Amino acid sequence: MLIDLRSDTVTKPSPGMREAMAQAEVGDDVYGEDPTVIELEQYSAELLGKEAGLFNPTGTMSNLIAFLTLTNPGDAVILAEQAHIIHYEVGGLTRVANILPLTVPGILGKITEEDIWARYNTGEDVHHAPTTLVSIENTVNRGGGAYYDYEEVSRIGRVCRQLGLKLHCDGARIFNSAIACNIEARYLAEPCDLINFCLSKGLGAPAGSVLCGSKELIQRARKFRKLLGGGMRQAGVLAGGGLYALKHHIDDLRKDHERATIFRRTLEEKGWFFPLPSPTNILFVRVPNAPKFVQTLQEKNILINAVLDDYIRIVFHRDITDTQFQYVLETFIKLS
Ligand SMILES: Cc1ncc(COP(=O)(O)O)c(C=O)c1O
């Protein structure tokens, strides 16, 4: 049996989740008649401390909808060079939302209030696109699962308000961040006008993301979802899985973090090098020849991704059993 550590997106619905999906009441969600989608959207909004939620097919679409909702074509957005939106979302922000990314190097893919002051343009100068939006990612995928804590997001929120900028959070893994910070996710969402989180990563649902914000913004976002072809019909079958994940799986993310810590500590003792901190469920590890290492592990039934010639990425998630985790650990130790 393959042990898949390429990403937490590979998680499959648990038996309880499959049952919830099978039992979900459905209706036509484009008509606003799917009771399970409505329940998921309300439940998500409450968890994130916002007025309303919008169930979207993917995180990529959710982020794009957020950008369309919060900007006008020709605006500029400040975000980190390492943002998932920059690297893995097909440039939708430029191609579809027609906005200019102003990227900042950041540390671990995080931006600071100083970065915002430095990059911000009012647009009054004839040369400049007006900056109207800041986008952060929490946790940061390419930052080794680094997270913004409450103080950091609050400080960013304060600067945004001072400068009249909107704030979006790609919170694909916001519950990992909340667990690492030991606070409710709503506090991390507080300064954000819109926040997206994914149901289909470590939470284990087969599909779906929820964008949360004020009623007014979510109403606007709903129209953009339709424009992008994301209006689904009997989506309650999927929303039922998402609701189950929110009610039963959030706390399990803690175990993924614990495993990342055990894995790292054990291997560091054997001389392995981890180039980034790994406070949540994502680890980068240095190996002499990443493609070859990936192949060696595949022969031992372990799947991982090479990120550079000499780095691999490992993501712990709920579908790894204790026995599998031990096997992975022992395999790495043997390769030391
Ligand atoms: C930080 C982050 N944002 C957004 C996404 C996009 O989610 P999706 O794959 O559902 O489009 C991902 C996916 O891995 C992600 O890691």
Side-chain angles (χ1 to χ4, degrees):
M1 199 210 208
L2 280 175
I3 303 171
D4 196 342
L5 300 171
R6 288 171 303 165
S7 174
D8 47 12
T9 57
V10 302
T11 46
K12 295 180 180 156
S14 60
M17 184 181 285
R18 280 187 188 270
E19 183 59 25
M21 293 171 74
Q23 300 300 331
E25 257 190 79
V26 296
D28 189 325
D29 183 50
V30 174
Y31 288 119
E33 291 171 2
D34 188 305
T36 313
V37 172
I38 293 169
E39 191 186 341
L40 171 67
E41 291 177 341
Q42 285 172 351
Y43 192 84
S44 302
E46 273 165 37
L47 271 183
L48 274 291
K50 301 291 183 200
E51 283 177 354
L54 181 70
F55 183 45
N56 294 318
T58 63
T60 301
M61 192 188 282
S62 236
N63 285 330
L64 183 54
I65 290 171
F67 280 20
L68 287 162
T69 304
L70 295 172
T71 63
N72 288 309
D75 286 356
V77 53
I78 297 171
L79 75 178
E81 221 167 73
Q82 294 298 336
H84 191 276
I85 289 169
I86 293 291
H87 286 268
Y88 304 120
E89 300 188 12
V90 209
L93 82 168
T94 50
R95 180 160 182 181
V96 183
N98 291 302
I99 54 178
L100 175 71
L102 301 176
T103 55
V104 295
I107 295 172
L108 300 173
K110 289 165 63 178
I111 62 175
T112 62
E113 55 277 35
E114 288 81 18
D115 292 327
I116 300 172
W117 282 109
R119 276 316 240 139
Y120 159 78
N121 286 315
T122 58
E124 276 165 26
D125 184 307
V126 73
H127 299 91
H128 295 152
T131 314
T132 56
L133 178 66
V134 172
S135 178
I136 58 173
E137 187 176 319
N138 198 5
T139 65
V140 188
N141 188 332
R142 285 174 65 95
Y147 60 87
Y148 291 84
D149 65 22
Y150 179 63
E151 273 205 19
E152 289 170 309
V153 288
S154 304
R155 279 203 299 268
I156 288 177
R158 265 198 301 278
V159 177
C160 287
R161 279 193 298 279
Q162 222 174 324
L163 296 175
L165 306 176
K166 298 275 190 266
L167 179 62
H168 170 61
C169 177
D170 174 5
R173 296 182 181 78
I174 196 67
F175 296 106
N176 292 83
S177 181
I179 283 176
C181 297
N182 206 18
I183 55 171
E184 289 176 40
R186 67 177 62 237
Y187 294 109
L188 300 172
E190 202 177 73
C192 307
D193 295 281
L194 287 174
I195 178 164
N196 163 64
F197 71 84
C198 291
L199 295 159
S200 59
K201 310 263 174 315
L203 291 179
S209 284
V210 188
L211 186 66
C212 297
S214 67
K215 272 190 191 147
E216 198 188 333
L217 284 176
I218 292 300
Q219 199 179 350
R220 199 168 137 78
R222 199 172 286 281
K223 186 111 179 184
F224 283 119
R225 183 184 71 177
K226 190 74 182 104
L227 173 77
L228 297 176
M232 298 183 284
R233 301 295 175 174
Q234 286 71 36
V237 173
L238 290 172
L243 257 178
Y244 187 90
L246 294 178
K247 290 180 181 173
H248 301 278
H249 289 177
I250 290 180
D251 214 46
D252 295 346
L253 297 172
R254 202 177 293 280
K255 188 163 183 177
D256 305 336
H257 298 192
E258 285 164 7
R259 281 177 170 170
T261 304
I262 295 170
F263 181 85
R264 182 178 183 131
R265 285 195 186 144
T266 311
L267 291 188
E268 273 176 342
E269 279 174 18
K270 304 279 174 201
W272 293 70
F273 177 68
F274 294 75
L276 302 178
S278 44
T280 55
N281 66 329
I282 301 173
L283 299 114
F284 289 88
V285 192
R286 189 166 72 193
V287 293
N289 178 337
K292 194 160 165 244
F293 190 79
V294 167
Q295 208 182 333
T296 305
L297 280 192
Q298 194 164 350
E299 284 156 17
K300 298 176 189 308
N301 293 326
I302 299 170
L303 296 184
I304 45 158
N305 274 332
V307 274
L308 291 171
D309 285 349
D310 52 355
Y311 288 107
I312 54 162
R313 190 186 76 165
I314 293 176
V315 186
F316 287 111
H317 57 74
R318 57 177 298 106
D319 282 5
I320 304 298
T321 64
D322 287 338
T323 315
Q324 288 174 333
F325 178 64
Q326 279 311 319
Y327 171 75
V328 172
L329 207 49
E330 281 157 25
T331 306
F332 271 78
I333 291 170
K334 279 187 198 150
L335 290 169
S336 297

